[in-house]
Amino acid sequence: MLFVAGWSLATYGGYVSPIFLASPTRMIEEGWLLLTRFGFMHDIGMTIWRVVGGFVLAAIVAVPLGIAMGAWKTVEAFFEPFVSFARYLPASAFIPLLILWAGIGEAQKLLVIFIGSVFQIILMVAVTVGQTRRDLVEAAYTLGSSDASVVWRVLLPASAPQIAETLRLVLGWAWTYVIVAELIGSSSGIGHMIVDSQALLNTGQIIFGIIVIGLIGLVSDFLFKAANRRLFPWSLA
Amino acid sequence: MSTAAVNIAGVERIFPAQAGGSPVTALTPIDIHVKENDFVTILGPSGCGKSTLLRIVAGLDEPTNGLVEIRGDVVVGPGADRGMVFQSYTLFPWLTVERNIEFGLREKGMPAGERRDIVRDYIAKIGLTGFENHYPKQLSGGMQQRVAIARALANDPAILLLDEPFGALDHQTRGLMQELLLNIWEADRKTVLFVTHDIEEAIFLGSRCLVMSARPGRIKADISIPLPHPRHYRMKAEPGFLDLKVRLTDEIREEAMKVA
Ligand SMILES: Nc1ncnc2c1ncn2[C@@H]1O[C@H](COP(=O)(O)OP(=O)(O)O)[C@@H](O)[C@H]1O
Ligand SMILES: [Mg+2]
């Protein structure tokens, strides 16, 4: 609210030139134009598909590997050094390289999201699984569980809520990678629209784009939280 | 000699030195024979190695020397033949009461129909009919420990190990839990090793009480408790009970003074 008030004051009050910052009404008009005339729905769709696609691929690889690392010390010792190193590599710095390797097509966009997400998920899942209560594991053994069934019947369900929470967090970060990927070498997507608008000095469109990103992030976050509540009723206080 | 339910032979446990410390001898060589269908209580001041001993029998820890045999088989790791109830609440929080109790039965691959009958039976025995679909967090501490006992017993282990299962409960609840456990035991007389630091509890439940010395733990007294079954809580005020209590109190006081 304060943010909108400050923004209105700056723009309607004439303190900031419209070239640098459009007013809220102007932004809404531009947004409407984008949606109805310039096919912005398609851009939004592309961006969502890239985030979800890259993120799902990352999760498919990272969750099982993270669980294996959390469960078995040998697996952890094998992968941990590389993954710890790789997580600090900024995904956006890979973009030029990925363009060389994969061109500027969808594969490159998905790879940026993938690289940005996969190492984070692996490490956070491994830590979560590694922190499973020792006494629950022991209880399972005294009930006749094998090592494999301890993984399936104790480590996995015990960690599931925290793993879901990790995915929610990383999905949020994936949104920032996708926009960067689209700013460079792209012909569609919200990031692409923002670059186009910058060329035309259309700050209304840029701000509209940013707000749309925020809203989608909020909605996906909300959906994730709601799903977690439904899936893991036992873990709530 | 016939094979004992549990044979603990020369079991010793020395924990390796932690950074900057010296090794901790938790148990000096211990020998115990437990007969089938006996209810043995192990009484000792805290820190004397009771949990360590029980964990070695369960196969969750390994003795530095010596070995444990269950019905003649040497223990090499944890297994379904030794059910365990821990002092901490170890029900699986993501499973309902019913599913917790059938956890071990599923490990055995028992068909759903049989599982259901056994689970229903134990839920009735522990007085939790109507709570089948509750999650552990919805239960009181006493209820959780009852479910933990049912979960261990449903597996039909050769021996039941309990490590201060009622230690975290208030006095009233603890009394009720003791009676409940005793009722279950009087019905099927499963072999039990029950660790406690509560003298009354050790007498009321056990048919035999082993008193452990302060660290390093060893068995300093082996006292038979010839009180008749079924036992009733009023027995705690009768002369036979009180005599035993005085005797055990003397034994324990000596040890407690060493560490106090
Ligand atoms: N994993 C361990 N590492 C080092 N020392 C331990 C470990 N477990 C127990 N001890 C020590 O062994 C002694 C006996 O512990 P414990 O068996 O838990 O006693 P009790 O159950 O009778 O209270 C204590 O002094 C404790 O500090
Ligand atoms: Mg203990």
Side-chain angles (χ1 to χ4, degrees):
Chain A
M1 274 302 102
L2 212 61
F3 164 75
V4 175
W7 178 16
S8 302
L9 184 70
T11 49
Y12 297 128
Y15 296 105
V16 180
S17 154
I19 292 176
F20 296 116
L21 188 61
S23 65
T25 38
R26 180 108 193 96
M27 184 274 294
I28 288 167
E29 283 166 30
E30 292 291 348
W32 181 246
L33 267 179
L34 270 179
L35 289 173
T36 52
R37 298 260 309 278
F38 298 108
F40 189 47
M41 280 317 278
H42 173 69
D43 285 314
I44 294 177
M46 285 308 290
T47 301
I48 292 180
W49 136 250
R50 285 165 185 157
V51 173
V52 172
F55 176 77
V56 167
L57 286 178
I60 288 172
V61 172
V63 171
L65 186 57
I67 290 170
M69 282 173 62
W72 293 288
K73 286 280 159 280
T74 46
V75 181
E76 179 171 26
F78 188 75
F79 286 106
E80 213 269 342
F82 173 71
V83 176
S84 297
F85 165 70
R87 76 182 298 203
Y88 289 109
L89 306 177
S92 37
F94 276 89
I95 294 173
L97 203 56
L98 289 174
I99 291 177
L100 282 178
W101 291 346
I104 57 169
E106 292 309 306
Q108 176 254 335
K109 308 286 181 299
L110 292 182
L111 273 173
V112 173
I113 308 295
F114 180 84
I115 292 178
S117 312
V118 74
F119 302 110
Q120 311 287 348
I121 301 177
I122 291 175
L123 282 183
M124 288 161 82
V125 169
V127 169
T128 300
V129 172
Q131 284 174 343
T132 306
R133 276 172 56 192
R134 188 76 214 139
D135 55 354
L136 295 185
V137 172
E138 291 185 339
Y141 278 121
T142 66
L143 291 166
S145 290
S146 61
D147 289 345
S149 100
V150 164
V151 174
W152 280 109
R153 301 191 64 199
V154 181
L155 298 185
L156 201 60
S159 312
Q162 191 57 40
I163 291 175
E165 186 62 17
T166 296
L167 293 177
R168 184 177 73 82
L169 211 66
V170 174
L171 181 60
W173 300 341
W175 274 99
T176 62
Y177 308 139
V178 77
I179 301 302
V180 177
E182 288 175 349
L183 291 177
I184 307 168
S186 180
S187 55
S188 61
I190 301 175
H192 165 73
M193 183 282 288
I194 289 178
V195 178
D196 273 4
S197 308
Q198 186 200 17
L200 302 169
L201 293 179
N202 191 332
T203 52
Q205 290 185 359
I206 296 179
I207 293 168
F208 184 74
I210 293 172
I211 287 177
V212 167
I213 295 168
L215 286 179
I216 298 173
L218 212 61
V219 169
S220 84
D221 214 56
F222 174 80
L223 291 178
F224 237 103
K225 275 188 182 152
N228 289 357
R229 262 198 302 275
R230 280 197 74 104
L231 284 172
F232 312 115
W234 56 269
S235 77
L236 298 171
Chain B
M1 194 184 91
S2 69
T3 52
V6 185
N7 180 30
I8 299 174
V11 162
E12 187 177 12
R13 181 68 169 108
I14 302 166
F15 289 107
Q18 304 284 334
S22 49
V24 174
T25 304
L27 301 172
T28 55
I30 285 184
D31 296 279
I32 303 173
H33 298 268
V34 178
K35 290 201 307 283
E36 291 285 353
N37 312 112
D38 224 358
F39 195 130
V40 176
T41 52
I42 299 177
L43 177 68
S46 82
C48 75
K50 304 183 295 295
S51 295
T52 304
L53 180 62
L54 213 60
R55 290 172 57 81
I56 288 173
V57 175
L60 296 171
D61 192 7
E62 283 174 23
T64 311
N65 284 303
L67 57 80
V68 176
E69 289 173 327
I70 304 294
R71 292 182 177 166
D73 295 328
V74 175
V75 167
V76 290
D81 57 333
R82 284 145 294 146
M84 177 121 175
V85 179
F86 300 78
Q87 175 171 5
S88 63
Y89 300 129
T90 59
L91 293 183
F92 303 114
W94 56 90
L95 297 178
T96 59
V97 165
E98 203 168 55
R99 299 234 154 202
N100 262 287
I101 296 176
E102 67 169 13
F103 188 94
L105 303 179
R106 277 174 177 261
E107 288 295 350
K108 289 182 179 165
M110 183 182 283
E114 275 177 67
R115 288 204 307 261
R116 201 175 322 117
D117 291 344
I118 295 178
V119 168
R120 194 182 304 133
D121 189 30
Y122 272 103
I123 287 183
K125 277 187 190 166
I126 59 171
L128 284 182
T129 306
F131 287 87
E132 289 84 351
N133 297 315
H134 282 54
Y135 285 103
K137 66 165 187 193
Q138 296 171 299
L139 305 178
S140 69
M143 289 173 169
Q144 290 193 45
Q145 289 306 64
R146 278 187 267 169
V147 177
I149 291 171
R151 181 177 68 174
L153 285 175
N155 236 3
D156 194 23
I159 165 169
L160 181 64
L161 309 169
L162 302 105
D163 188 0
E164 308 200 34
F166 311 140
L169 305 176
D170 65 74
H171 191 75
Q172 307 307 326
T173 313
R174 191 184 313 172
L176 295 173
M177 292 292 140
Q178 289 165 0
E179 287 182 86
L180 183 114
L181 178 63
L182 209 47
N183 279 335
I184 293 176
W185 183 80
E186 281 162 353
D188 67 2
R189 307 248 165 175
K190 194 167 280 295
T191 312
V192 174
L193 273 184
F194 186 107
V195 158
T196 180
H197 64 257
D198 183 312
I199 295 171
E200 256 187 22
E201 187 167 80
I203 303 170
F204 185 61
L205 293 175
S207 35
R208 176 184 171 197
C209 177
L210 302 172
V211 182
M212 282 180 75
S213 67
R215 210 182 78 202
R218 62 185 173 79
I219 305 298
K220 68 169 288 198
D222 183 346
I223 292 165
S224 144
I225 301 171
L227 302 173
H229 286 278
R231 295 181 187 172
H232 188 268
Y233 73 92
R234 289 207 191 100
M235 181 178 264
K236 289 180 180 176
E238 287 171 8
F241 192 98
L242 294 174
D243 287 347
L244 281 163
K245 191 172 169 182
V246 169
R247 185 160 162 214
L248 284 172
T249 306
D250 285 344
E251 298 276 6
I252 280 293
R253 253 177 74 86
E254 247 178 72
E255 298 310 317
M257 295 214 313
K258 287 184 200 163
V259 289

